[in-house]
Structures are given as C-alpha cells and as structure tokens.
Amino acid sequence: MSDDERHAQANALLGTSATTRTKIDSRDSERANRRWWDADAEQYHQTHADFLGVGSPGGEFVWCPEGLHEGDMGFLGDVTGKTILEIGCGSAPCSRWLAGHGAFPVGLDVSRGMLERGVAAMDQGGPRVPLVQAGAEALPFADASFDLACSAFGGVPFVADSALVMREVARVLRPGGRWVFSVNHPMRWIFPDDPGEAGLTASIPYFDRTPYVEVDGDGVPTYVEHHRTIGDRVREIVGAGLHVVDIVEPDWPEWLDREWGQWSPLRGQIFPGTAIFIAEKP
C-alpha cells in the first residue's frame, strides 16, 4: 500500500492536492496538523494500532518504527510514582503503559480525534489517564509540575518553533527531571519519502529548514512537517537549559520486515530512520 493510500481518507476530507516547501508560522502549522490528525485518526489506527499496542488493555510504549520498547530500553528510568507528561500522545498507548507501571502520566495532544481514540481504548479496560487537548508550544501546566516528559514521534516534528517546545518542557520539569523524545532522523530529510529504491538517493539539501507542506486546492495547508538538523536539536535542548545525556540512533532489527511510511528494512539497513534525544534538567 502506498503512502497516499494509507492516508486517502484524510487527503479526501481535507482536499489535499499538492505539496510544497514554504515558510509557515506556529498558528497555521498547528491548525493544519490539528485538522490533519483529526481527519487521519481512523485510517492511522487501521494501519498502526496493532504495532503500537493501542488495543492492549495496558497500552504499550513503542518509541519508533524500529520497534524499540520502553520496557526494554528504560530511557525514562524508574517511572514508579513519577508524574509524567507525554507530548503528542495520540491515542495514548504510551501513557497507558506508564500508568500500568506505577507512574502518573498525563497525555497531551493537539488532535481531538486522536484523543477520542484514547478514550475509546480506555473504555475497553485497563488504566485510565487524564488527556488534555493543547499544542506543544504552550503547555497548559504550572512550572515544575512533572518529574519526566516524553514524546514518541509526537509534537516535535510538527511545530514551527521546536526551540519553544524545549523551553516549555524545561519549564514544567522539576530539577533532575528527564526529557526523552523521538523524531525522524534529521538525515532522512535529504532523501525522498519513499521506502523503496527511490528513497536511497539523496536529493534534498540537509541544511534547508523550509517546512514540507501539503495544501488544498486553495493553497491552504493541510499537513506540515518541520526539519531540524542534529546540531539544531542539540542547540535547542541546551538553549532551554537542559543537558544532553544521549542521542540514540536505532539499528533496524533483523526480525522486523514491516514498512511504515518511509521506514523499511531496505532503508533501515543502510541509514537510521529515528533519532531519540535524552536530556535532563539540572
């Protein structure tokens, strides 16, 4: 199934007709992505819910298409008794998994459609967690509210001002708190968004931060994704007053033959598809 087929429902609902590279501000970026994830929620879950453990009564915490699980990796450390903010939680399988392991998570997402999927999953049983609809650039929480914060491909790639997200996370973390987030690896930006042979040829400048934007027939953005280099990410983290602890670039596992959009065994065996940043607040 092609990427267009995976998102046919959202494209039809929003009238997506073209792609471009153009500057876009925080308001328009958030509006476009809120509408996109509302429109794509059903088809996204048809494609990915099993892999992400959405239907599991206790949820699952999968960091990336390479299948890294928090239960195996322990990037967040001991979560027992910790208050945790998940940014870009989608239908909140990660937050539900955390709750089942003794944490007190809050899930935040810009999309009501995705959050409603989380409510429906919790209605089937298992831990319940509070869910909040809001954008990542203005977290609706008091200073020093959380012990930990996390984001598994949620929020960070879809905001115009990711440096502001880092500052907001630093603000709501308590001293000693940890912030872990996964994003598509910045080097992926230079390759076409294709899991096959066509996706192996570099053709897009790595240093061009102009956002990728899909638009409708009137030129209104329907989906936006933002690029930052590895250096950009590090500077944003450090600029927020956090310390970089590690940057993890997962290998493609031998057991995984699944394609997920641009992620595939073919590409994964040659270059990384995910970067996981681990930072702490002094």
PDB file of all heavy atoms in Angstrom, residues 12 19 21 35 82 127 153 209 214 219 231 259 277 279:
ATOM      1  N   ALA A  12      -8.750  13.077   1.195  1.00  0.00           N
ATOM      2  CA  ALA A  12     -10.057  13.368   0.597  1.00  0.00           C
ATOM      3  C   ALA A  12     -10.842  14.365   1.440  1.00  0.00           C
ATOM      4  O   ALA A  12     -11.447  15.313   0.912  1.00  0.00           O
ATOM      5  CB  ALA A  12     -10.850  12.076   0.432  1.00  0.00           C
ATOM      6  N   THR A  19       1.962  19.370  -2.909  1.00  0.00           N
ATOM      7  CA  THR A  19       2.962  19.547  -1.868  1.00  0.00           C
ATOM      8  C   THR A  19       3.872  20.701  -2.239  1.00  0.00           C
ATOM      9  O   THR A  19       4.041  21.032  -3.418  1.00  0.00           O
ATOM     10  CB  THR A  19       3.816  18.283  -1.674  1.00  0.00           C
ATOM     11  OG1 THR A  19       4.577  18.038  -2.868  1.00  0.00           O
ATOM     12  CG2 THR A  19       2.932  17.077  -1.389  1.00  0.00           C
ATOM     13  N   ARG A  21       7.288  23.418  -0.456  1.00  0.00           N
ATOM     14  CA  ARG A  21       8.182  23.806   0.629  1.00  0.00           C
ATOM     15  C   ARG A  21       8.009  25.310   0.821  1.00  0.00           C
ATOM     16  O   ARG A  21       8.299  26.086  -0.093  1.00  0.00           O
ATOM     17  CB  ARG A  21       9.642  23.476   0.302  1.00  0.00           C
ATOM     18  CG  ARG A  21       9.937  21.987   0.139  1.00  0.00           C
ATOM     19  CD  ARG A  21       9.790  21.251   1.471  1.00  0.00           C
ATOM     20  NE  ARG A  21       9.984  19.820   1.324  1.00  0.00           N
ATOM     21  CZ  ARG A  21      11.160  19.199   1.458  1.00  0.00           C
ATOM     22  NH1 ARG A  21      12.228  19.903   1.733  1.00  0.00           N
ATOM     23  NH2 ARG A  21      11.241  17.904   1.320  1.00  0.00           N
ATOM     24  N   ARG A  35      -6.112  19.632  12.137  1.00  0.00           N
ATOM     25  CA  ARG A  35      -7.097  19.152  11.170  1.00  0.00           C
ATOM     26  C   ARG A  35      -6.647  17.827  10.539  1.00  0.00           C
ATOM     27  O   ARG A  35      -7.457  16.930  10.324  1.00  0.00           O
ATOM     28  CB  ARG A  35      -7.324  20.204  10.084  1.00  0.00           C
ATOM     29  CG  ARG A  35      -7.986  21.492  10.584  1.00  0.00           C
ATOM     30  CD  ARG A  35      -8.067  22.519   9.478  1.00  0.00           C
ATOM     31  NE  ARG A  35      -8.914  22.061   8.377  1.00  0.00           N
ATOM     32  CZ  ARG A  35      -8.608  22.169   7.092  1.00  0.00           C
ATOM     33  NH1 ARG A  35      -7.458  22.710   6.723  1.00  0.00           N
ATOM     34  NH2 ARG A  35      -9.438  21.746   6.168  1.00  0.00           N
ATOM     35  N   LYS A  82       6.244   8.389  39.507  1.00  0.00           N
ATOM     36  CA  LYS A  82       6.637   9.641  38.853  1.00  0.00           C
ATOM     37  C   LYS A  82       5.462  10.264  38.095  1.00  0.00           C
ATOM     38  O   LYS A  82       4.649   9.566  37.484  1.00  0.00           O
ATOM     39  CB  LYS A  82       7.780   9.375  37.865  1.00  0.00           C
ATOM     40  CG  LYS A  82       9.030   8.771  38.498  1.00  0.00           C
ATOM     41  CD  LYS A  82       9.733   9.746  39.406  1.00  0.00           C
ATOM     42  CE  LYS A  82      10.970   9.140  40.038  1.00  0.00           C
ATOM     43  NZ  LYS A  82      12.004   8.784  39.061  1.00  0.00           N
ATOM     44  N   PRO A 127      -5.716   0.794  32.656  1.00  0.00           N
ATOM     45  CA  PRO A 127      -5.521   2.066  33.365  1.00  0.00           C
ATOM     46  C   PRO A 127      -6.150   3.236  32.618  1.00  0.00           C
ATOM     47  O   PRO A 127      -6.173   3.259  31.396  1.00  0.00           O
ATOM     48  CB  PRO A 127      -3.995   2.213  33.404  1.00  0.00           C
ATOM     49  CG  PRO A 127      -3.445   0.858  33.124  1.00  0.00           C
ATOM     50  CD  PRO A 127      -4.449   0.173  32.255  1.00  0.00           C
ATOM     51  N   PHE A 153       7.552  10.421  18.685  1.00  0.00           N
ATOM     52  CA  PHE A 153       7.138  10.938  17.377  1.00  0.00           C
ATOM     53  C   PHE A 153       5.901  11.835  17.487  1.00  0.00           C
ATOM     54  O   PHE A 153       5.151  11.976  16.533  1.00  0.00           O
ATOM     55  CB  PHE A 153       6.886   9.802  16.388  1.00  0.00           C
ATOM     56  CG  PHE A 153       8.126   9.334  15.692  1.00  0.00           C
ATOM     57  CD1 PHE A 153       8.978   8.425  16.298  1.00  0.00           C
ATOM     58  CD2 PHE A 153       8.459   9.814  14.443  1.00  0.00           C
ATOM     59  CE1 PHE A 153      10.138   8.000  15.668  1.00  0.00           C
ATOM     60  CE2 PHE A 153       9.616   9.402  13.800  1.00  0.00           C
ATOM     61  CZ  PHE A 153      10.460   8.489  14.417  1.00  0.00           C
ATOM     62  N   ARG A 209      15.915  24.267   5.959  1.00  0.00           N
ATOM     63  CA  ARG A 209      14.915  24.047   7.018  1.00  0.00           C
ATOM     64  C   ARG A 209      13.508  24.424   6.576  1.00  0.00           C
ATOM     65  O   ARG A 209      12.577  24.410   7.384  1.00  0.00           O
ATOM     66  CB  ARG A 209      15.257  24.847   8.266  1.00  0.00           C
ATOM     67  CG  ARG A 209      16.319  24.241   9.170  1.00  0.00           C
ATOM     68  CD  ARG A 209      17.701  24.558   8.689  1.00  0.00           C
ATOM     69  NE  ARG A 209      18.702  24.361   9.757  1.00  0.00           N
ATOM     70  CZ  ARG A 209      19.996  24.559   9.583  1.00  0.00           C
ATOM     71  NH1 ARG A 209      20.452  24.953   8.401  1.00  0.00           N
ATOM     72  NH2 ARG A 209      20.843  24.379  10.562  1.00  0.00           N
ATOM     73  N   GLU A 214       1.754  20.203   2.769  1.00  0.00           N
ATOM     74  CA  GLU A 214       0.734  19.763   1.827  1.00  0.00           C
ATOM     75  C   GLU A 214      -0.404  20.777   1.871  1.00  0.00           C
ATOM     76  O   GLU A 214      -0.742  21.298   2.946  1.00  0.00           O
ATOM     77  CB  GLU A 214       0.241  18.365   2.198  1.00  0.00           C
ATOM     78  CG  GLU A 214       1.348  17.321   2.099  1.00  0.00           C
ATOM     79  CD  GLU A 214       0.911  15.925   2.515  1.00  0.00           C
ATOM     80  OE1 GLU A 214      -0.278  15.756   2.893  1.00  0.00           O
ATOM     81  OE2 GLU A 214       1.749  15.006   2.474  1.00  0.00           O
ATOM     82  N   GLY A 219      -4.601  26.411  -1.719  1.00  0.00           N
ATOM     83  CA  GLY A 219      -3.295  26.710  -1.140  1.00  0.00           C
ATOM     84  C   GLY A 219      -3.271  26.732   0.372  1.00  0.00           C
ATOM     85  O   GLY A 219      -2.266  27.135   0.980  1.00  0.00           O
ATOM     86  N   GLY A 231      22.471  19.200  14.880  1.00  0.00           N
ATOM     87  CA  GLY A 231      23.005  20.340  15.624  1.00  0.00           C
ATOM     88  C   GLY A 231      21.917  21.268  16.126  1.00  0.00           C
ATOM     89  O   GLY A 231      21.989  21.781  17.255  1.00  0.00           O
ATOM     90  N   GLU A 259       6.955  -2.345   6.765  1.00  0.00           N
ATOM     91  CA  GLU A 259       7.145  -0.988   6.281  1.00  0.00           C
ATOM     92  C   GLU A 259       6.181  -0.056   7.017  1.00  0.00           C
ATOM     93  O   GLU A 259       5.050  -0.420   7.319  1.00  0.00           O
ATOM     94  CB  GLU A 259       6.886  -0.892   4.773  1.00  0.00           C
ATOM     95  CG  GLU A 259       7.947  -1.545   3.928  1.00  0.00           C
ATOM     96  CD  GLU A 259       7.784  -1.254   2.444  1.00  0.00           C
ATOM     97  OE1 GLU A 259       6.811  -0.538   2.080  1.00  0.00           O
ATOM     98  OE2 GLU A 259       8.602  -1.728   1.644  1.00  0.00           O
ATOM     99  N   PHE A 277      16.418  11.594  21.495  1.00  0.00           N
ATOM    100  CA  PHE A 277      17.206  12.535  22.292  1.00  0.00           C
ATOM    101  C   PHE A 277      16.834  12.370  23.766  1.00  0.00           C
ATOM    102  O   PHE A 277      15.657  12.368  24.119  1.00  0.00           O
ATOM    103  CB  PHE A 277      16.938  13.964  21.847  1.00  0.00           C
ATOM    104  CG  PHE A 277      17.423  14.280  20.460  1.00  0.00           C
ATOM    105  CD1 PHE A 277      16.656  13.948  19.351  1.00  0.00           C
ATOM    106  CD2 PHE A 277      18.650  14.878  20.255  1.00  0.00           C
ATOM    107  CE1 PHE A 277      17.093  14.221  18.059  1.00  0.00           C
ATOM    108  CE2 PHE A 277      19.105  15.151  18.964  1.00  0.00           C
ATOM    109  CZ  PHE A 277      18.328  14.820  17.866  1.00  0.00           C
ATOM    110  N   ALA A 279      17.557  14.033  27.474  1.00  0.00           N
ATOM    111  CA  ALA A 279      18.072  15.238  28.122  1.00  0.00           C
ATOM    112  C   ALA A 279      17.582  15.299  29.569  1.00  0.00           C
ATOM    113  O   ALA A 279      16.577  14.669  29.923  1.00  0.00           O
ATOM    114  CB  ALA A 279      17.604  16.485  27.371  1.00  0.00           C
TER     115      ALA A 279
END
